[in-house]
Amino acid sequence: MKGPSYAFSSRRKSGATSLLWSLFGACLVAAVIGYKPVVIVHGLFDSSGEFVELLRFINQSHPGTNVSVFDLFDRSSSLQPLWKQVEGFKAAIYPIMQNAADGVNFICYSQGGLICRGILSTLPDHNVHSFISLSSPQAGQYGDTNYLKYLFPQFMKFNLFHFCYTSVGQRISICNFWKDPHHMDMYVNSSDYLALLNSERTNPNSTVWKKNFLRIKKLVLIGGPDDGVITPWQSSQFGFYDDNETVVELKDQDLYLRDVFGLKTLNARGDLFLCSMAGVEHINWHSNYTVFNACIEKWLV
């Protein structure tokens, strides 16, 4: 009995020693490389608990990274107006920025991607390095999805403009980025959020907002054809419908051609990256390791 007992004890000690050295090595790597803090901003009806897998992916690939996911505007509170959410998240994130001499990285999912754009446009001294927009309706939303049916059971995409393009409708987050290609005049005149960010509506702050946005070092736009929620899915990469509901891709969009808020500049700098992936449903983007490995991991430096 002593032989086997001794052999087991040796392996246990050896295993414990290996574990300690592994942990030491991970900490040493984190200290030497100095991974930037990561801020995650959730989407519609989400909360911090949705991102357990993403946190695990980050900690495995970039050990020691300080990752923050905030319990702000969770669940039904995520329907509050986007400018209100921008101010709330900004107040929570700003101290992290101030304590990060080398900057921070943003991973912003779904509606959260639009919130992050609001932060980046209005915060003149932000230090965001990589802005990773994860399946976010950056160019707007126009589609009959389960979310729409849940929120507005009496409406469909063709008539939701009657509600969204009112002062009452603009108090609900999804209406802040609802973009009906058949009623663009109403969208431009009524949208308190997306039309301002895109300078589709006259915005006296557009020059300053563009300068602020261009402080980012990298813009990564992630999306795919099987998303099932973001409509059209190319909106996650600034493509959108024309009035015939034909998708106009990013580089043919007016906001790109006129470099309204900096997309063309980012591309000229070599700092605009598109990552498209089929077979991923909307709710799975942040828990899919293939997505993380192919589209996110290398930008968290």
Side-chain angles (χ1 to χ4, degrees), residues 6 15 31 71 74-75 78 80 90 92 102 110 121 125 138 146 150 179 229 246 250 259 280 288:
Y6 176 77
D71 284 315
D74 292 357
R75 305 304 182 192
S78 64
Q80 294 189 47
K90 189 189 298 185
D102 296 325
S110 195
S121 297
D125 58 344
Q138 294 292 355
N146 289 334
Y150 173 74
K179 189 174 181 179
V229 172
T246 299
L250 162 65
D259 201 26
V280 184
N288 186 305

Side-chain angles (χ1 to χ4, degrees), residues 161-224:
F161 75 93
H162 287 297
F163 174 75
C164 274
Y165 299 154
T166 66
S167 58
V168 174
Q170 287 297 302
R171 296 175 190 170
I172 299 176
S173 65
I174 190 172
C175 287
N176 293 157
F177 55 92
W178 185 257
K179 189 174 181 179
D180 189 327
H182 307 292
H183 298 90
M184 288 299 292
D185 288 345
M186 293 183 68
Y187 158 75
V188 168
N189 291 324
S190 303
S191 174
D192 290 336
Y193 193 80
L194 186 61
L196 285 175
L197 281 183
N198 289 348
S199 288
E200 295 162 310
R201 181 177 179 180
T202 301
N203 178 8
N205 298 311
S206 60
T207 301
V208 173
W209 285 14
K210 178 178 179 180
K211 181 180 178 181
N212 294 343
F213 186 73
L214 284 172
R215 288 176 63 88
I216 64 174
K217 307 305 182 203
K218 307 290 178 187
L219 173 60
V220 183
L221 302 171
I222 304 169

